[in-house]
Amino acid sequence: MKNQLVHLMLNDEVRIIAADTTQLVEEAKAIHGTYPVATAVLGRTLTAAAILGSQLRQEWENLTITLNGGGPAGTVLATANGNCEVKGYIANPQVNLPAREDGKLDVGGAVGKDGFLTVSKDLGLKEPYVGQTALVSGEIAEDLAYYYLQSEQQPTIVYLSVWVDIDTSVLRAGGLVISPMPGASEETLSFIESRLFEIQNYALMLMQYSPEEAVRKIFRDGKIELTRTQEPKYVCNCTRERFSQGILSLGRKEIEQMLKEDGQAEVICQFCNKQYL
Ligand code: ZN
């Protein structure tokens, strides 16, 4: 099963992005050895990055989402480019918390909400564009919705969903973003509102439907048009050369010290765990 992300238009006035990121979240879990709640934290953040990346205008543009909520998960970071290639890490992949009362993984508890969601976009300009909003709940979807509203002036409904199986594998993961365009009619807005109850669990819907089918199921009777399809992937583009540059920038003294103490200089890529000596 492939990762998939689709852009759809509802009634010519609502932009919808729907993604199935199951495979890439499973890959991230394998790379980082995440425990279930960390799988959900990182998976939701990677899915958010894929969705934001799919909204970049050029394939080479890229962005970084950072979550710093003061919770036991520590810093969570994900990057994406306009081609929907994502990668990320979580400072504490083995964070382990009891499930919430409703049985769900306690993503908000792991992330914490005493901090910020920061999105830095490299659009080829001198300086990156940086948008930062206070965390609302640490559940990531609400935090991203607040970011869309505050930083991009775009009222948006966001669902991010990672369903971890009892054996800790990723059963389904994905995201759904619904953004009415400015001036969308009252009729369409209340239509959306009247259908949201269908989305109890977006990941569960992905067991049965593709992202496009899920949207068509939720907003049946609406006019839905598929405008673009992308394939999100977990890709790390690290190279020996890039890390060599990093080590060289430490300076002679530091490097000599390292060689004296360890007999070698070792770097591990924090995105893919590849080791360079
Ligand atoms: Zn790497």
Side-chain angles (χ1 to χ4, degrees):
M1 196 191 47
K2 276 186 176 172
N3 301 304
Q4 202 195 30
L5 184 148
V6 291
H7 296 251
L8 303 146
M9 195 64 131
L10 168 66
N11 291 357
D12 299 320
E13 39 185 24
V14 183
R15 291 201 180 91
I16 298 179
I17 299 174
D20 182 331
T21 53
T22 308
Q23 204 185 53
L24 79 84
V25 175
E26 179 65 39
E27 213 171 317
K29 174 193 167 265
I31 289 169
H32 297 286
T34 46
Y35 285 14
V37 73
T39 305
V41 170
L42 184 58
R44 286 188 197 180
T45 311
L46 287 167
T47 303
I51 289 171
L52 284 172
S54 80
Q55 296 177 296
L56 293 170
R57 294 218 165 82
Q58 307 288 338
E59 287 187 2
W60 54 262
E61 292 178 349
N62 66 75
L63 59 87
T64 303
I65 303 180
T66 314
L67 291 164
N68 261 317
T75 298
V76 190
L77 183 148
T79 78
N81 62 20
N83 207 17
C84 266
E85 292 173 342
V86 302
K87 60 183 176 180
Y89 63 79
I90 175 167
N92 182 7
Q94 289 171 358
V95 58
N96 204 358
L97 291 176
R100 301 192 322 192
E101 265 177 27
D102 62 3
K104 289 191 173 168
L105 292 164
D106 191 2
V107 169
V111 172
K113 54 182 180 182
D114 184 18
F116 296 93
L117 178 151
T118 310
V119 177
S120 171
K121 290 184 187 174
D122 178 4
L123 309 176
L125 305 168
K126 250 188 192 161
E127 299 286 331
Y129 161 85
V130 181
Q132 188 175 62
T133 46
L135 291 170
V136 181
S137 65
E139 291 283 332
I140 309 173
E142 279 177 277
D143 305 306
L144 185 63
Y146 189 60
Y147 164 81
Y148 270 115
L149 183 65
Q150 291 291 318
S151 239
E152 313 220 337
Q153 286 77 49
Q154 173 61 64
T156 301
I157 301 160
V158 181
Y159 294 87
L160 297 170
S161 189
V162 175
W163 187 5
V164 180
D165 206 353
I166 296 169
D167 68 1
T168 77
S169 66
V170 179
L171 210 47
R172 282 294 184 280
L176 176 64
V177 160
I178 303 166
S179 312
M181 289 161 69
S185 65
E186 274 305 317
E187 204 185 337
T188 294
L189 295 179
S190 47
F191 172 63
I192 294 173
E193 220 169 301
S194 72
R195 310 292 332 177
L196 292 182
F197 75 94
E198 293 267 359
I199 320 167
Q200 304 278 349
N201 183 335
Y202 177 68
L204 183 62
M205 293 191 87
L206 293 176
M207 288 293 279
Q208 210 177 340
Y209 307 105
S210 73
E212 183 185 351
E213 286 165 352
V215 172
R216 289 189 187 278
K217 165 109 172 60
I218 298 160
F219 297 112
R220 56 184 175 279
D221 324 323
K223 180 190 157 201
I224 291 162
E225 196 188 341
L226 175 70
T227 54
R228 193 175 172 208
T229 303
Q230 287 176 283
E231 189 190 334
K233 287 190 194 91
Y234 196 100
V235 176
C236 188
N237 50 2
C238 65
T239 58
R240 185 176 193 86
E241 186 138 72
R242 201 171 290 182
F243 282 113
S244 310
Q245 291 297 332
I247 289 183
L248 283 175
S249 73
L250 294 173
R252 189 183 184 94
K253 219 174 150 194
E254 188 86 5
I255 295 170
E256 279 178 351
Q257 183 78 11
M258 203 182 329
L259 289 174
K260 217 164 88 187
E261 279 170 13
D262 307 328
Q264 60 188 20
E266 183 200 70
V267 201
I268 295 169
C269 175
Q270 54 191 353
F271 291 105
C272 69
N273 261 340
K274 213 165 163 185
Q275 185 191 41
Y276 294 94
L277 279 177

